Amino acid sequence: YLAIVHPLKPRMNYQTATILIALVWIVSILVAIPSAYFATETVLFIVKNQEKIFCGQIWPVDQQMYYKSYFLFIFGIEFVAPVITMTLCYARISRELWFKTVPGFQTEQIRKRLRCRRKTVMVLMCILIAYVLCWAPFYGFTIVRDFFPTIFVKEKHYLTAFYIVECIAMSNSMINTMCFVTVKNNTMKYFKKIMLLRWRSTYHGSKSSTDLDLRTSAMPVTEEVDCIKLK
């Protein structure tokens, strides 16, 4: 966001970056302590002599108000705040990259740069949509389960449904990686070239590793490198 929207502002120094990274880890650990403390497993019910084990947070009955407050806090800082922040930042980035026109005559190089910018915007939108689609079912299910428990009293498969929405939520990290890698940029192009060179080196044993390194280092750098840096 700072690199695109405020390109002339000075970047943070090494000391500031170190403090911010340490602060993020410390806050994350502190926020996760209650979840780790109350995480356990229990037998919920038995169907046809099979025990149904639930693994998760189990708070004492007299501390349910603390649990609900804690969950709403987690819901706010892990879902609502990130979605709002990403939406505002990506909207500003999209306006800078998509709607601003480049002055002067549009050469082929300028048109490539515009396509690169729009590709960056599309990747950012995909990341935001994937985050919402992955985590909204998990938090929606948890809110209904904890604040309206009577809905699930007679539902036999709600535990299976919980594990499904939890897997969908955790898959968001994998989806983010796929969004960056599968987009048509230098990542996949150079990966294919590297694999091709490896195959050729294996198939043609006479080729030396020095020649392969020279061929790999001679790959042309294009405008698409800027896309990776922007993302």
Side-chain angles (χ1 to χ4, degrees):
Y1 174 81
L2 293 176
I4 296 174
V5 180
H6 304 289
L8 300 181
K9 285 188 176 182
R11 299 291 181 264
M12 68 177 67
N13 55 32
Y14 178 82
Q15 183 178 5
T16 304
T18 303
I19 294 175
L20 288 178
I21 293 173
L23 183 63
V24 168
W25 276 95
I26 293 173
V27 172
S28 301
I29 292 173
L30 294 177
V31 169
I33 286 177
S35 298
Y37 181 79
F38 291 103
T40 184
E41 64 178 27
T42 184
V43 179
L44 292 183
F45 50 83
I46 299 177
V47 179
K48 295 181 180 180
N49 297 326
Q50 293 183 355
E51 294 182 348
K52 297 295 183 179
I53 306 298
F54 173 75
C55 301
Q57 300 180 50
I58 301 179
W59 292 56
V61 178
D62 58 343
Q63 297 184 9
Q64 289 302 306
M65 185 59 65
Y66 294 103
Y67 165 72
K68 292 181 180 180
S69 301
Y70 172 72
F71 172 78
L72 292 177
F73 172 73
I74 294 295
F75 175 67
I77 65 173
E78 288 189 354
F79 185 77
V80 177
V83 169
I84 294 176
T85 303
M86 286 191 295
T87 301
L88 296 177
C89 290
Y90 291 173
R92 186 70 184 276
I93 291 174
S94 300
R95 189 177 68 176
E96 293 291 329
L97 297 183
W98 192 285
F99 298 103
K100 277 194 173 183
T101 58
V102 178
F105 179 75
Q106 291 192 3
T107 62
E108 182 62 26
Q109 184 178 7
I110 294 178
R111 284 193 289 269
K112 287 182 178 180
R113 185 172 299 176
L114 290 175
R115 289 195 296 268
C116 174
R117 289 181 174 184
R118 292 171 180 174
K119 186 189 303 182
T120 303
V121 174
M122 295 302 298
V123 172
L124 293 177
M125 294 299 104
C126 289
I127 291 175
L128 176 58
I129 294 173
Y131 186 82
V132 174
L133 293 180
C134 287
W135 283 100
F138 173 81
Y139 282 110
F141 185 95
T142 308
I143 289 174
V144 173
R145 183 197 65 189
D146 295 338
F147 291 85
F148 308 97
T150 55
I151 297 178
F152 291 140
V153 168
K154 298 182 180 181
E155 181 58 47
K156 297 181 179 179
H157 303 290
Y158 89 93
L159 186 59
T160 303
F162 172 76
Y163 286 137
I164 291 175
V165 297
E166 187 179 40
C167 289
I168 294 174
M170 300 306 168
S171 68
N172 180 247
S173 299
M174 178 190 66
I175 294 175
N176 282 346
T177 304
M178 293 175 61
C179 287
F180 284 115
V181 173
T182 58
V183 68
K184 186 181 179 182
N185 57 26
N186 289 12
T187 304
M188 289 301 295
K189 182 172 67 177
Y190 288 160
F191 178 76
K192 292 178 180 178
K193 288 186 177 182
I194 291 173
M195 295 302 296
L196 181 61
L197 291 176
R198 293 291 184 183
W199 178 82
R200 287 179 177 177
S201 65
T202 304
Y203 187 77
H204 302 285
S206 59
K207 292 184 179 294
S208 64
S209 59
T210 305
D211 295 333
L212 294 177
D213 292 337
L214 290 175
R215 292 179 61 184
T216 305
S217 60
M219 293 178 181
V221 179
T222 64
E223 289 285 336
E224 295 181 353
V225 175
D226 296 332
C227 293
I228 302 176
K229 292 181 180 180
L230 289 177
K231 292 178 285 189

